[in-house]
Amino acid sequence: MTQDATPPREPSSSREPGSSPFDGPPLSLDEELAAARAEPEPGPDIDTINESLADGLNRCPKCGSTDVRLRGSTGNLVCLFCRHEWHEARVEEEFGLGVGIDDLQGTVVAGGADEIAADAEDVVTLTCGGCGADVVVDTAHALNARCHWCRHTLNINERTPNGAVPDAVLPFKLTHGEAVERIREFASKRRLFAHPRFKKEFVPENVLGVYLPYLVIDARAEASYAGRGEVQTRRWTEKHGDTSTTYYAADVYRVDREVAFTVDDLTIEGAADRARFDSSTTNNIVNTVLPFDTKNAVKWNSSYLVGFTSEKRDLDVDDLHPVLEDQLLSIGRAQVHDSLEMFDRGVRWEQERIDVGGSRWVSMYLPVWLYSYYQENTKMLHYIAVNARTGETMGSVPVSQPRLIAAALTVGTFLEGIAGAILVGTA
Amino acid sequence: MISEVVMATSGDNAPLWILAAGPAGAVATYWALYRYYRNTDKSHAYERDTLIQAQPVQGSEEKVDHISKTRDSDIDGDNSSKHRVRVERLG
């Protein structure tokens, strides 16, 4: 089945069968002619729509069954009817994402990283291509659903009006069992001072596979920094009675540094809830399991999501430009660090500038195994997160404050005893 | 014991700061354990773990002043290793 090519930025036509879209009051002849002569609305800079999935059903290319899911051990899609395995093309080669970073100009946005329509509903109604029934999908939480009549798996494979569909997906690699083992190992090293209720309620088997939305960015930038650096010229000690003081002499320099660089696949959180890193959240835990092997991401096909939950992106490219500039400035500072060796008393940067020559944005779902625990007394959501590609694990375990304080006091008392003994001995 | 300690601290050879060892050790123990459990300081090191290709660093330095005598062993506000601490933005 094929679909007429439509500009992806244009909201797709109504999904209610039989209804015709209302496109405003009739125009005059002149206006109609002007509209017809006008340039078409620009599409995305990189069009990533998977045309083969336009009917919302992902069929096995061998037998046509739609009972398809991810096989974790191979990272391929597998047809549960005929056992045929296949995979989508890697976006790296398909859309040339790994090349041309040096020549990037302006902001290049792939279709899936286009702006989220603020007024679009999360709930989308799909008509099942198998039996014609209407199936409702809440795109805030899932991008696929099962037809309750014919059991076809329906996928949001087209661009939806709310821009929920990413460009690419990186399939899960670590199995549920492997994730459970890593979470158990992580928590078992932190049992002694863990909150008793956490220990009682800890069931690592409840870990959930979640696809989290990220924007993966290639960028070309020039960063410059200005500040002061000091070089020690002399060091001497002066005696004042029984005490002595060390003094220093130093030359002060004005320091300027510039560096031009490219970054490949810088990964930034695309959901506002996950992007806040203040002390009231444990979002840094999920952030810490980055980076992913994003070079292996494949073209979007929501069959990769069957059996996993997913979170919708709600931050647009414009929202994340300041975050990108911030990270590029940090990367530039790290790059110039080695050129500061002569300043043995240190450097104080006072001004900085970033010029982003070009950036390319791709929206991607990345796989994470998440064990979450809500601590009621502090109202904090703790996570133990496992990168489902690399296995990197990081977590936040709620602590038992009484036990922690008792341990601190024990150590403090012991050290104070030693200090007292030394004082008595030297008296 | 306490009176002996107080007497010792008032003596010529008594280093008073050693009494801070107990409170400092308690705070350090608390902080180290808390951090091991909660990992509040961890984040993705994108400065290191991202594919970066940099051109050679350009720059200059010009001597503008001389400090003839100071007790500070390093420059005030050294942020050369604190890559994520932002300073005044130009442009």
Side-chain angles (χ1 to χ4, degrees):
Chain A
M1 189 178 283
T2 58
Q3 188 197 28
D4 292 338
T6 51
R9 284 189 185 199
E10 202 173 281
S12 64
S13 60
S14 168
R15 290 165 196 280
E16 299 295 335
S19 67
S20 60
F22 174 70
D23 60 356
L27 303 172
S28 68
L29 182 60
D30 287 344
E31 286 171 326
E32 289 276 13
L33 286 172
R37 287 192 197 105
E39 290 289 322
E41 276 193 36
D45 300 305
I46 305 170
D47 188 352
T48 58
I49 282 189
N50 196 340
E51 294 290 351
S52 65
L53 306 170
D55 64 353
L57 295 176
N58 180 26
R59 296 180 187 279
C60 166
K62 199 170 178 188
C63 73
S65 164
T66 57
D67 209 354
V68 175
R69 58 172 55 221
L70 172 68
R71 186 171 182 191
S73 56
T74 60
N76 290 340
L77 294 175
V78 59
C79 170
L80 298 184
F81 189 72
C82 71
R83 313 305 297 177
H84 176 62
E85 280 191 38
W86 75 102
H87 61 83
E88 294 289 343
R90 292 204 320 167
V91 287
E92 193 77 359
E93 287 89 18
E94 182 85 6
F95 304 115
L97 298 181
V99 295
I101 305 175
D102 284 328
D103 304 322
L104 281 175
Q105 293 286 344
T107 305
V108 179
V109 179
D114 211 356
E115 283 188 17
I116 298 277
D119 56 347
E121 296 289 335
D122 286 334
V123 176
V124 172
T125 304
L126 292 181
T127 301
C128 174
C131 68
D134 283 348
V135 179
V136 174
V137 185
D138 180 1
T139 60
H141 302 105
L143 291 184
N144 49 29
R146 204 113 199 234
C147 173
H148 41 269
W149 294 109
C150 69
R151 312 298 296 162
H152 267 89
T153 302
L154 298 170
N155 301 301
I156 306 271
N157 283 313
E158 303 173 70
R159 278 301 164 260
T160 56
N162 55 18
V165 178
D167 300 299
V169 55
L170 187 60
F172 271 78
K173 196 172 178 185
L174 252 70
T175 63
H176 178 269
E178 289 169 324
V180 168
E181 271 315 299
R182 284 172 195 267
I183 289 167
R184 196 192 302 283
E185 186 187 348
F186 185 90
S188 65
K189 288 178 183 168
R190 292 163 177 81
R191 280 187 66 81
L192 190 58
F193 298 103
H195 198 282
R197 192 159 175 187
F198 172 81
K199 283 197 278 191
K200 194 175 155 197
E201 296 172 357
F202 180 62
V203 184
E205 285 74 15
N206 289 347
V207 64
L208 274 181
V210 186
Y211 279 103
L212 294 177
Y214 288 89
L215 284 156
V216 178
I217 306 154
D218 298 334
R220 176 173 69 82
E222 284 180 25
S224 50
Y225 309 91
R228 301 269 159 161
E230 289 182 7
V231 178
Q232 182 180 303
T233 53
R234 201 176 147 219
R235 176 177 184 268
W236 71 99
T237 304
E238 290 181 8
K239 283 233 172 222
H240 306 284
D242 289 338
T243 59
S244 56
T245 309
T246 303
Y247 292 98
Y248 305 87
D251 286 339
V252 182
Y253 288 84
R254 185 178 58 77
V255 187
D256 296 297
R257 290 289 184 271
E258 284 177 21
V259 63
F261 58 94
T262 61
V263 291
D264 191 356
D265 286 4
L266 192 63
T267 307
I268 295 179
E269 282 80 2
D273 280 352
R274 215 63 58 219
R276 280 193 305 117
F277 293 129
D278 57 66
S279 58
S280 66
T281 70
T282 49
N283 286 339
N284 71 304
I285 296 300
V286 187
N287 175 266
T288 305
V289 301
L290 292 171
F292 287 82
D293 55 332
T294 42
K295 299 280 173 216
N296 291 317
V298 295
K299 203 171 172 181
W300 173 254
N301 182 329
S302 67
S303 290
Y304 284 105
L305 272 62
V306 176
F308 303 103
T309 59
S310 50
E311 197 170 87
K312 198 175 98 178
R313 175 173 70 86
D314 56 4
L315 290 174
D316 290 326
V317 170
D318 286 345
D319 300 322
L320 292 172
H321 255 297
V323 182
L324 172 67
E325 291 188 354
D326 199 74
Q327 295 201 1
L328 292 176
L329 278 167
S330 302
I331 289 171
R333 287 254 288 264
Q335 291 297 318
V336 303
H337 185 261
D338 287 347
S339 71
L340 306 173
E341 274 177 9
M342 70 172 280
F343 302 102
D344 51 6
R345 283 171 55 84
V347 171
R348 179 181 65 246
W349 292 124
E350 293 166 343
Q351 294 172 319
E352 57 193 357
R353 179 204 298 267
I354 186 80
D355 178 13
V356 183
S359 58
R360 178 167 54 204
W361 300 67
V362 174
S363 170
M364 209 178 272
Y365 263 1
L366 301 178
V368 180
W369 286 105
L370 273 185
Y371 180 80
S372 59
Y373 178 81
Y374 182 68
Q375 189 179 6
E376 280 185 5
N377 58 339
T378 58
K379 312 273 185 231
M380 185 170 275
L381 192 57
H382 296 268
Y383 294 106
I384 301 177
V386 183
N387 182 321
R389 298 289 300 188
T390 64
E392 186 172 346
T393 306
M394 184 46 68
S396 166
V397 173
V399 292
S400 163
Q401 290 290 353
R403 285 188 184 196
L404 212 56
I405 291 169
L409 288 176
T410 305
V411 172
T413 308
F414 178 70
L415 290 174
E416 198 69 0
I418 293 175
I422 291 171
L423 283 173
V424 170
T426 57
Chain B
M1 171 78 177
I2 292 172
S3 61
E4 284 176 332
V5 170
V6 172
M7 282 174 64
T9 56
S10 61
D12 287 344
N13 297 324
L16 272 172
W17 56 264
I18 204 167
L19 282 177
V27 170
T29 305
Y30 180 92
W31 181 235
L33 284 171
Y34 185 82
R35 220 165 60 165
Y36 182 64
Y37 276 65
R38 294 270 287 100
N39 289 301
T40 49
D41 59 323
K42 303 288 192 303
S43 78
H44 166 44
Y46 52 79
E47 298 95 336
R48 193 187 61 224
D49 292 339
T50 308
L51 297 172
I52 299 162
Q53 281 201 326
Q55 305 291 321
V57 175
Q58 309 286 320
S60 62
E61 45 269 327
E62 183 187 351
K63 187 179 165 186
V64 290
D65 199 1
H66 178 76
I67 301 168
S68 54
K69 190 176 184 183
T70 176
R71 291 173 66 170
D72 289 337
S73 61
D74 56 8
I75 193 171
D76 283 344
D78 185 352
N79 56 9
S80 57
S81 299
K82 297 172 185 166
H83 307 314
R84 298 187 188 181
V85 177
R86 295 276 69 86
V87 295
E88 184 191 351
R89 278 282 290 275
L90 297 174

